[in-house]
């Protein structure tokens, strides 16, 4: 069996500000078999200026009359709701997680909610103060890399390495680079960081996924890799598992027709369950890197393979020739790989047609 692939069901802001909807999302994620259900924690006024425009997909889904800041205010998840969601997660045996988009929210999630890991979203990859605070938490860190170059990811990992290994040096680009290059820093990254390949486009067309970049990051940085998916279907996250993803994140909703920025690029509960089942099947199919027959195959060797047999009556002392030496099932006799070794030798006894040659 391959290592377990962690599945994060990304509820995000698909609760539309409703606690009842958020609780229903927890139940749906647990029923689907996901390992983690993840929300988003932010203070809208700390996240966006009044002048910040909406993304194209946000304007498409929610209209342009409302500003991004106004949209975010309507989607804030109150701190009190976090506690109720965490209790629901505990009862449903699924891990509660939320992504912080500002320093206050991160401190709340780590200090008061006691989350088990930190997720840095793609948009915060270059937010060095927030990334550093995440690294200093002592928790494992998941990093999404949508919109990023390889250099952007390396720079963020330098900040994380610096935060994880501590020290008295003041934060600076030079200090981050030194931490990233150090043996201690690289060990901290390898043991505590998962980097997610991601394309920030909702929904992402398959030809924009560029999945090979996931392996590129794994080779470049020596960290675990995964995939945060924004495609419309199920095939791409399963492909990611086949290519070595240790973690899959996927948006889901109760109903894709609900109003809001992310619903149309999300899976509904039945498809989320289907995706989890497909991931588990892919995970099981990966198996071992050793090429050898499994236990089920070994039982079929005798039936499917062949042995050397007499193609016609052969007398004791007769020479084996291409005319009197044949190859037939079952495969419980001498391997046909010895065909040419046997040719020209003398039979030590008589053989009837189809009798296995020793």
């Amino acid at each position: 069996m391959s290592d377990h692939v962690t599945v994060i069901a990304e509820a995000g802001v698909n609760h539309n500000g409703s606690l009842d909807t958020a609780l229903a999302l927890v139940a749906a994620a647990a029923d689907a078999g996901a390992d983690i259900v993840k929300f988003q924690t932010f203070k809208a006024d700390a996240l966006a200026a009044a002048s910040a425009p909406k993304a194209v997909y946000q304007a498409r889904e929610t209209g342009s009359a409302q500003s991004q800041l106004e949209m975010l205010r309507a989607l804030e998840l109150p701190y009190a709701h976090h506690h109720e969601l965490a209790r629901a997660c505990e009862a449903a045996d699924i891990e509660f997680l939320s992504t912080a988009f500002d320093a206050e929210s991160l401190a709340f999630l780590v200090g008061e909610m006691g989350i088990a890991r930190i997720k840095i979203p793609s948009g915060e990859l270059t937010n060095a103060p927030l990334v550093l605070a995440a690294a200093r938490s002592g928790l494992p860190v998941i990093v999404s890399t949508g919109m990023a170059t390889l250099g952007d990811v390396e720079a963020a990992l330098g900040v994380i390495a610096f935060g994880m290994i501590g020290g008295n040096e003041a934060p600076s680009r030079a200090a981050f680079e030194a931490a990233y290059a150090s043996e201690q820093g690289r060990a901290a990254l390898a043991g505590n960081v998962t980097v997610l390949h991601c394309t920030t486009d909702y929904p992402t067309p398959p030809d924009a996924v560029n999945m090979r970049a996931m392996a590129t990051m794994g080779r470049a940085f020596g960290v675990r890799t995964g995939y945060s998916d924004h495609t419309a279907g199920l095939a791409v996250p399963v492909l990611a598992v086949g290519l070595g993803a240790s973690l899959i994140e996927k948006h889901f909703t109760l109903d894709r027709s609900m109003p809001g920025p992310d619903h149309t690029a999300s899976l509904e509960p039945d498809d989320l369950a289907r995706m989890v089942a497909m991931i588990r099947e892919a995970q099981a199919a990966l198996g071992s890197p050793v090429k050898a027959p499994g236990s089920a195959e070994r039982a079929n060797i005798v039936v499917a393979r062949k042995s050397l047999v007499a193609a016609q009556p052969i007398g004791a002392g007769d020479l084996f020739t291409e005319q009197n030496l044949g190859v037939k099932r079952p495969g419980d006799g001498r391997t046909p790989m010895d065909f040419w070794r046997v040719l020209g030798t003398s039979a030590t006894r008589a053989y009837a047609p189809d009798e296995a040659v020793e």
Side-chain angles (χ1 to χ4, degrees), residues 73-338:
R73 284 172 176 162
L75 296 173
E76 273 191 29
L77 190 65
Y79 283 178
H81 289 182
H82 287 67
H83 292 286
E84 294 199 48
L85 292 172
R87 285 192 290 270
C89 287
E90 185 175 7
D93 196 25
I94 187 170
E95 181 182 328
F96 169 82
L97 184 61
S98 191
T99 296
F101 288 79
D102 57 81
E104 180 186 328
S105 296
L106 178 64
F108 166 73
L109 289 172
V110 173
E112 188 168 331
M113 294 304 302
I115 56 174
R117 64 195 84 204
I118 292 174
K119 167 67 190 302
I120 297 173
S122 294
E124 304 303 321
L125 184 73
T126 59
N127 184 352
L130 185 65
V131 173
L132 180 57
R136 284 174 165 168
S137 71
L139 296 175
V141 176
I142 302 165
V143 184
S144 269
T145 61
M147 306 172 287
T149 65
L150 206 62
D152 292 333
V153 181
E154 183 175 306
L157 291 176
V159 177
I160 294 171
F162 176 85
M164 285 185 169
I165 65 178
N168 298 320
E169 190 173 358
S172 68
R173 288 201 178 199
F176 300 153
E177 290 170 2
Y180 176 78
S182 71
E183 184 176 340
Q184 186 183 5
R186 297 307 289 262
L189 294 174
N192 298 287
V193 175
T194 302
V195 172
L196 305 186
H197 177 53
C198 176
T199 304
T200 305
D201 189 12
Y202 302 82
T204 302
D207 62 2
V209 169
N210 193 28
M211 186 64 74
R212 289 190 177 97
M214 182 179 70
T216 298
M217 290 192 294
R219 290 191 299 269
F221 305 129
V223 296
R224 287 185 296 274
T225 57
Y227 175 58
S228 179
D229 184 51
H230 298 136
T231 63
L234 308 180
V236 177
V238 177
L239 167 68
V241 174
L243 293 177
S246 64
L247 185 155
I248 297 294
E249 179 182 79
K250 182 80 169 179
H251 282 264
F252 80 108
T253 179
L254 300 179
D255 183 347
R256 295 179 68 246
S257 67
M258 291 173 70
D262 294 341
H263 293 284
T264 58
S266 302
L267 296 180
E268 292 183 342
D270 286 349
D271 277 336
L272 178 65
R274 198 169 294 118
M275 185 197 75
V276 173
M278 292 170 69
I279 286 171
R280 298 295 173 236
E281 187 174 353
Q283 171 191 316
L286 284 173
S288 167
V290 177
K291 177 57 182 171
S295 57
E297 283 187 295
R298 284 193 289 271
N300 293 323
I301 289 175
V302 170
V303 176
R305 287 188 173 174
K306 297 178 179 178
S307 303
L308 292 178
V309 299
Q312 59 191 46
I314 298 173
D318 289 351
L319 295 179
F320 289 111
T321 68
E322 293 188 2
Q323 287 70 43
N324 66 15
L325 189 62
V327 177
K328 287 188 178 182
R329 289 176 176 175
D332 57 355
R334 188 164 184 175
T335 173
M337 296 296 288
D338 287 344

Side-chain angles (χ1 to χ4, degrees), residues 2-56:
S2 303
D3 291 340
H4 181 78
V5 176
T6 301
V7 177
I8 297 179
E10 170 66 81
V13 295
N14 283 342
H15 49 77
N16 284 6
S18 163
L19 177 59
D20 287 343
T21 301
L23 291 169
L25 286 164
V26 169
D31 288 345
D35 300 288
I36 299 169
V37 59
K38 188 175 78 65
F39 294 89
Q40 295 179 7
T41 305
F42 55 84
K43 293 295 184 182
D45 291 324
L47 177 54
S51 60
K54 285 182 176 178
V56 172

